[in-house]
Structures are given as C-alpha cells and as structure tokens.
Amino acid sequence: TNRIISRFESWESYAGDMYSFEVSEQSNFQSKKDFTGYASVTSEAGNAYFSIADESPMKLPADTYFPMRHLNAIIDGAEQGKTILAASVFTGADPDDALLATNTVIGDWKIEAPVAHLGAFGQKGYWPVQTAYFKPAAKAAEPEYEINYSMQSNGVVRRYVIDYGDFTINAEL
C-alpha cells in the first residue's frame, strides 16, 4: 500500500506563452518534495526554471504547449474535424518528467444526454479523446501513460481513464 499526498497549482497566460507551477508531494516510499517553477516560450525557443534544479534552464522547443493551450488546440482541432494532434507539452512536474511528447487521437462527436448535475456546464455530447504521453527521447512504442476521456466542446471532461500500465485511475464527474 502506498499513500500519496499531492498538491499541484499552476497558472497559464491567456496567450499560452507563460506558465508557473507549485508542487508538493509526499508518499510512503519517497521523501517530501516541494518545488516551484516557471516557463515561457516564444516563436524561437523556450525555457523552464525549477527551484530544485541548478540555475541553468531546461530548454523547451519553440512549439511547446502548456496544458490549457494544449486543451484548446484539441478542442479547435476537433471542431475543424481533425483527428490527430502531435505536440510537445510542458506540464511543470518533476524536471525529468515535465516535458512530454504527446499524440492525441480525437474521435467523432457523440450525442449523449447532458450531464444534469453540471447544470449550465453540461452539454449534449462530447468527443472521445485519447492522449498518449511519451518521454521526448523515448524509443519504445509504449507511452509513459495514456488518458482516455470524454470532452465536451466547452472543455469540461465528463469522464476519464488514466492508464499507467501497472494500474489505472477511473474518474467520472
């Protein structure tokens, strides 16, 4: 049995070019980690800084997405009928896991009754979406993890399954 206590806070600029984060994690098997950081990207390059790393920045590709920009790109692609989106995504996790290559597959719009307990946020339908996350230098075909989710056009995720290979997490609103 492993008990994990995790807190993650982040902020992302509306333009999707700046991102900051604060992480606190503790478990039975690892010592407590508390760190902060920030990142920015321009059309030429990007950098990320971590309070637990030396002063040299992590270099980010110019086409790096932060989480909300990535979500918006998935919604925009779905609305345009696109079915695949490949992107580098910076999540702000531990420095070794903060930058991931992703491959997202977007399914056809599914009609389903609105989620009643969401009130005005519930919509009639969703896109089934699957995103696989890989380490940038990975040579294996298997991702680090995958997330399958049902996303409405307003960005609300009705349900999702995170598959880590050894175990999965199922969630539903």
Side-chain angles (χ1 to χ4, degrees):
T1 302
N2 187 10
R3 182 182 172 122
I4 300 170
I5 300 170
S6 180
R7 182 183 57 79
F8 186 92
E9 293 182 34
S10 65
W11 172 86
E12 184 174 333
S13 68
Y14 184 76
D17 59 348
M18 294 184 293
Y19 185 68
S20 65
F21 52 94
E22 185 176 326
V23 178
S24 179
E25 294 178 340
Q26 186 175 355
S27 77
N28 297 357
F29 300 112
Q30 291 182 330
S31 58
K32 187 173 182 177
K33 281 195 286 189
D34 288 306
F35 62 94
T36 61
Y38 65 94
S40 64
V41 290
T42 67
S43 59
E44 284 114 38
N47 290 307
Y49 299 87
F50 297 84
S51 64
I52 59 172
D54 60 23
E55 292 185 23
S56 60
M58 171 190 280
K59 301 291 183 198
L60 302 176
D63 62 350
T64 298
Y65 287 75
F66 297 130
M68 290 305 299
R69 182 170 169 237
H70 186 235
L71 178 71
N72 286 332
I74 293 168
I75 292 170
D76 291 345
E79 288 174 342
Q80 295 168 19
K82 294 181 181 175
T83 57
I84 295 183
L85 172 67
S88 293
V89 178
F90 180 84
T91 63
D94 193 84
D96 292 336
D97 298 319
L99 181 65
L100 297 165
T102 66
N103 189 28
T104 300
V105 177
I106 307 163
D108 292 332
W109 182 256
K110 306 283 185 200
I111 301 295
E112 190 176 280
V115 182
H117 66 277
L118 291 179
F121 289 108
Q123 294 185 338
K124 285 186 177 184
Y126 61 89
W127 291 287
V129 179
Q130 179 176 354
T131 302
Y133 295 82
F134 300 86
K135 297 259 183 164
K139 302 289 185 229
E142 292 294 315
E144 292 294 309
Y145 61 94
E146 290 181 272
I147 304 177
N148 292 289
Y149 50 101
S150 302
M151 184 173 59
Q152 300 177 160
S153 62
N154 61 0
V156 171
V157 174
R158 294 174 167 214
R159 65 184 78 81
Y160 67 90
V161 176
I162 303 175
D163 183 352
Y164 289 102
D166 295 338
F167 68 96
T168 60
I169 298 172
N170 298 301
E172 192 163 329
L173 291 178

